């Protein structure tokens, strides 16, 4: 998953869908830091979980990823528009100035 979302936001999105997960460092900070990760989202899977819960978990993560991708594309479009050079015609010179 992209770095755009923190563990808390992912946990909240899953909670809204009725999926309980654990977020944070899970008392393994040295190992996570060795892998250059600060926090994670951990679904506590066990024999009593239903397949519907796992399906909702996966579906929600995919929706977050799609939404993140759309935001990145929109952000890229805005940046391109901002960087578009402006041509200014000068009255006294045949040359153009580009900002």
């Amino acid at each position: 998953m992209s770095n755009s979302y923190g563990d808390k936001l992912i946990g909240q999105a899953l909670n809204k869908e009725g999926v309980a997960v654990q977020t944070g460092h899970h008392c393994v900070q040295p190992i996570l830091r060795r892998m250059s990760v600060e926090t994670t989202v951990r679904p506590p899977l066990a024999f009593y979980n239903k397949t519907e819960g796992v399906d909702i978990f996966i579906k929600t993560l995919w929706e977050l990823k799609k939404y993140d991708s759309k935001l990145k594309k929109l952000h890229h479009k805005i940046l391109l528009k901002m960087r578009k050079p402006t041509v200014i015609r000068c009255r006294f010179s045949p040359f153009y100035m580009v900002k």
Side-chain angles (χ1 to χ4, degrees):
M1 173 93 2
S2 172
N3 290 336
S4 300
Y5 298 105
D7 63 320
K8 302 287 184 217
L9 287 174
I10 294 171
Q12 289 172 352
L14 290 165
N15 187 39
K16 279 176 77 175
E17 297 297 324
V19 178
V21 294
Q22 298 166 341
T23 61
H25 55 77
H26 315 291
C27 300
V28 291
Q29 284 175 317
I31 295 170
L32 290 177
R33 287 192 179 139
R34 182 176 277 183
M35 296 186 299
S36 300
V37 177
E38 273 302 311
T39 58
T40 62
V41 176
R42 183 174 67 182
L45 299 175
F47 65 90
Y48 52 81
N49 290 104
K50 296 180 180 176
T51 57
E52 292 86 17
V54 176
D55 291 340
I56 293 170
F57 174 78
I58 293 169
K59 183 183 127 211
T60 304
L61 290 181
W62 275 112
E63 286 175 1
L64 287 171
K65 185 175 172 94
K66 285 180 197 174
Y67 184 71
D68 187 48
S69 174
K70 287 179 185 177
L71 283 180
K72 283 182 182 174
K73 286 178 185 175
L74 180 64
H75 187 253
H76 183 70
K77 264 186 179 177
I78 291 169
L79 284 178
L80 285 177
K81 283 184 181 180
M82 290 173 64
R83 291 183 185 162
K84 193 174 183 180
T86 307
V87 177
I88 301 171
R89 290 186 183 199
C90 184
R91 280 177 114 180
F92 307 107
S93 172
F95 300 104
Y96 294 101
M97 294 171 49
V98 177
K99 269 189 185 176

